[in-house]
Amino acid sequence: MKEDHMFAVMKTGGKQYKVQAGDVLRVEKLAADAGETVQFNEILMVGSTVGAPTVEGAGVQAEVIDQIKGEKVIHFVKRRRKHSSKRTKGHRQQLTLLRVTDILEKGADKSGVKAAIGAGSVSGAAVAAAAPAKAPAKKAAPKKAAKAEAPAGADDLKKLSGVGPALEKKLLDAGITTFAQIAAWGEADIAEFDEKLSFKGRIEREGWVEQAKELANG
């Protein structure tokens, strides 16, 4: 069932958007090309129906207008361990510009429109660095015996500021076993692992990437 003037609240890239057909909005970059139609299936509310937590069968369809970059964001990075100086670094977040075409109250699961999936959540460099480490981690030992033990050849991730045994285990479970992998993280990787592993901004706050670069180089 489609309603042209119906509102929906959808979630993508960790943010919520209230939309209706015809709206143009910018969301975190999606894996889609200009001209493609994608469907958002994480709908928190549609019309008067409130999800628990999402509305089953509801969806928001949108046409990809273009892949763009947002305004430059400047933030301060303070090194904790070496020197007390601060430096600034900036980045422009990659975004996808969309035009909402349809609000589906029901039947979105059978629409045949491809689901909207985030792009660049892990960069090519990080994937390449993580790939060789993942295979041995699976073969190393049965799950019962491999509590927080690092696989052979892994770095001591506890050398990173603020990383204890619990956070080290989270990183190992995610296939992150070396400083080189963390050193290769870009902005999208940091955002992905921050959300995926519930680090709550710790990666940038503690300066893990910079520390990993120094530790990887000995």
Side-chain angles (χ1 to χ4, degrees):
M1 176 179 177
K2 296 188 289 187
E3 294 285 347
D4 288 341
H5 301 293
M6 180 180 292
F7 278 99
V9 177
M10 69 181 204
K11 186 176 180 182
T12 179
K15 297 178 182 178
Q16 296 179 16
Y17 301 85
K18 184 178 180 181
V19 299
Q20 67 175 345
D23 283 357
V24 174
L25 65 152
R26 300 187 302 176
V27 301
E28 190 172 300
K29 187 176 180 181
L30 302 174
D33 297 322
E36 280 193 86
T37 297
V38 294
Q39 180 170 289
F40 296 91
N41 297 312
E42 199 171 355
I43 308 304
L44 308 179
M45 180 177 177
V46 58
S48 58
T49 306
V50 178
T54 58
V55 182
E56 188 175 351
V60 171
Q61 293 182 359
E63 180 187 353
V64 176
I65 299 172
D66 200 3
Q67 300 288 4
I68 60 174
K69 286 189 176 183
E71 294 177 2
K72 191 164 187 177
V73 177
I74 302 292
H75 55 97
F76 291 87
V77 177
K78 184 175 181 181
R79 303 284 293 277
R80 288 182 53 144
R81 292 194 166 179
K82 287 191 177 183
H83 315 298
S84 59
S85 61
K86 293 181 180 178
R87 66 186 178 84
T88 61
K89 73 173 185 178
H91 73 280
R92 296 180 65 192
Q93 186 181 13
Q94 293 187 315
L95 304 168
T96 298
L97 189 64
L98 301 167
R99 179 180 290 107
V100 177
T101 54
D102 288 311
I103 307 292
L104 279 66
E105 193 174 7
K106 294 178 182 177
D109 50 342
K110 298 175 184 177
S111 69
V113 176
K114 85 170 190 175
I117 300 173
S121 55
V122 179
S123 71
V127 169
K134 285 185 177 178
K138 289 180 181 176
K139 296 176 185 176
K143 283 189 178 178
K144 289 182 182 176
K147 267 193 175 177
E149 292 180 11
D155 292 327
D156 182 5
L157 301 180
K158 293 190 293 296
K159 289 182 179 179
L160 294 170
S161 174
V163 176
L167 293 188
E168 183 186 43
K169 185 175 188 304
K170 278 189 176 186
L171 288 165
L172 293 174
D173 289 346
I176 305 303
T177 61
T178 66
F179 296 129
Q181 288 172 256
I182 296 172
W185 284 355
E187 295 292 340
D189 308 311
I190 291 171
E192 167 73 8
F193 284 105
D194 193 58
E195 183 175 343
K196 183 178 175 182
L197 302 180
S198 301
F199 284 150
K200 299 177 182 177
R202 186 186 295 267
I203 297 172
E204 286 194 296
R205 191 168 63 249
E206 302 284 359
W208 285 0
V209 174
E210 292 300 321
Q211 288 181 45
K213 286 176 182 176
E214 292 178 9
L215 290 165
N217 291 328

